[in-house]
Amino acid sequence: MAKLRGRGYASVNYPTGMNLGGDPSQALIHATTTGTFVISLSSVDLGQGIKTIAAQCAAETLGLPIENVLVDTADTDTGPHCMGTFASRGTHRVGNAVIMAAAEARAVMLEVAAEELEVDAADLETDGTGFIRLKGAEEKGIHITDLALAAHFKHGRTISGRGIYLKEPSVPVPETGEMDPDSCQAHACTAAAVEVDDETGVVEVLELYNAYEVGRALNPAMATQQVEGGAWMGVSHALFETTEPYYPSRDHGPRDFAGYLMPGPADIPVQHSLFLERPAANGPYGAKGIGEMTANAPIPAIANAIFDACGVRLDSMPFTPERVLRGLDALRRKSEEEPC
Amino acid sequence: MPSQIVSLIVNGEQREFIAAPGATLLASLRESLGLTAAKRGCAQGACGTCTVLVDGRPEASCLVAVETVAGRSIRTLEGVAAGGELDEVQSAFVDCFATQCGFCTAGMIMVAEALLDANPEPSEEDVIEAISGNVCRCTGYRPIVIAVLEAARRRREQVVSR
Ligand code: FES
Ligand code: FES
């Protein structure tokens, strides 16, 4: 009886967004009297970080500090339309819509600044700290707070912008089935190192190496969080979670949190993650979606590592001790039947 | 059994309210006192997101009948940020990206507060053991473990510099 070690890897190509007969998301942006740019969205942040990404995209496009951006996702009933937070589409669709809205607002901002400073809008630039300045004449400039006040109370202008990103409907070509269902594809590979106890059948994931090509990681810390949190879910699906352990029979299925197994903090492998950046032409600042794919590659990588460790090829999740032991028994019977 | 008036010391303040028979501590905090940081994930003691401190000890408030803790001292997440300033645990959670959806965060922080009060220099194993009754569906736990260790370090430095 021994603890057997093995390594395996698996790769995934994953589409960003989908095609539901057209897949739009909208963003509206306007400046308050004191120069805070409010982005109105119906896209909901449930922890994936779309508010942060939207604020980053707007700040970058406006040329203003991120502190000047406020994201309001309050009401899906009255807000600008969003198809929803699914299909790894949020960063791509909403990011693009926000950039379009912010670009329009920026143009108005520069027009009003040009009036206020009595110069040509084309000669103005933003410095990223909150000032709009005349190129080459540092001292001639105006802060966004003063500009927004002037826009409201002096010029009667609304500093605002509208944005929409639409993935147009794509119908399959009847003869070939060919179509264009997504906007771009992200790629990833995970290598797993596992230890299999051939007496108990328990599989322990020791290490995961995650490599992700994500177009561009707009927020590398959040992208890492997504990759490693997603890998946790992959480990969980690979080794623990199921509602029907003896599918299709419902026997012994968990009914609540107490019976539904998930790995705890002590079951977490050491993770090493890195990003390769190949900006996508149609992505917001080059980004692709990496929402759902992060749970995918770890599962087959773990299955391959188990095979490498002990020769058992498992094709049903989760890879429970019972399945590993049955696999080992089958191997033993086979080697007894056909001695080499 | 009639409803009864229950009094608790919540985050240092004496609070009184009418509790329906069988009301849990969690329901009382959320519904009678409007303190909604502690969440109801499972209502059966399996997820830890309802954790509050009862006389300094972490308890799953969904399992505690409120009349059994009458008069005792309860600490919730609302009592942690003194004067609106994040404490070391909270700021370490922010800086170490230890929260995503945030549903587990209140419980995680209360468990961490209790751990650091009892053991200012916890090992990684101590932290893992302390949070092992709390489920997180988002982070993969690693950032939370790192955040609690970082909070311990910050708290020790504070003590030294005081
Ligand atoms: S709600 Fe109390 S432990 Fe889950
Ligand atoms: S951050 Fe979502 S459950 Fe922990």
Side-chain angles (χ1 to χ4, degrees), chain A residues 5-9 191-194 207 209 301-309:
Chain A
R5 290 203 172 190
R7 288 184 296 183
Y9 79 91
V194 307
E207 277 183 287
Y209 292 80
I302 291 167
N304 288 338
I306 292 171
F307 177 72
D308 184 47

Side-chain angles (χ1 to χ4, degrees), chain A residues 46-47 221-222 225 229 232-233 241 256-258 262-266 268, chain B residues 42 44 46-47 97 99-101 128 131-132 135-141:
Chain A
L46 38 97
M222 286 195 339
Q225 210 181 21
W232 174 86
M233 203 173 272
E241 287 181 45
D256 52 34
F257 267 32
M262 289 180 280
I268 296 311
Chain B
C42 65
Q44 60 172 193
C47 76
F97 285 77
T99 173
Q100 285 188 36
C101 79
I128 286 174
I131 67 168
S132 63
V135 172
C136 175
R137 192 58 165 163
C138 302
T139 62
Y141 296 102

Side-chain angles (χ1 to χ4, degrees), chain A residues 91-177:
Chain A
T91 292
H92 188 274
R93 302 291 191 264
V94 179
N96 274 321
V98 166
I99 289 171
M100 183 176 169
E104 190 172 286
R106 178 186 165 91
V108 183
M109 174 176 82
L110 295 184
E111 274 171 30
V112 180
E115 270 182 60
E116 189 66 13
L117 297 170
E118 298 180 10
V119 297
D120 192 314
D123 295 330
L124 291 173
E125 64 186 3
T126 44
D127 70 355
T129 74
F131 283 91
I132 294 104
R133 294 188 194 280
L134 186 62
K135 287 178 199 161
E138 289 286 286
E139 67 296 341
K140 200 161 173 67
I142 184 167
H143 192 266
I144 183 61
T145 305
D146 298 321
L147 183 68
L149 282 166
H152 280 85
F153 296 103
K154 215 164 124 191
H155 303 279
R157 295 289 301 270
T158 307
I159 304 179
S160 64
R162 303 150 298 165
I164 183 164
Y165 185 88
L166 170 64
K167 165 69 187 166
E168 287 179 9
S170 158
V171 184
V173 179
E175 293 76 29
T176 60

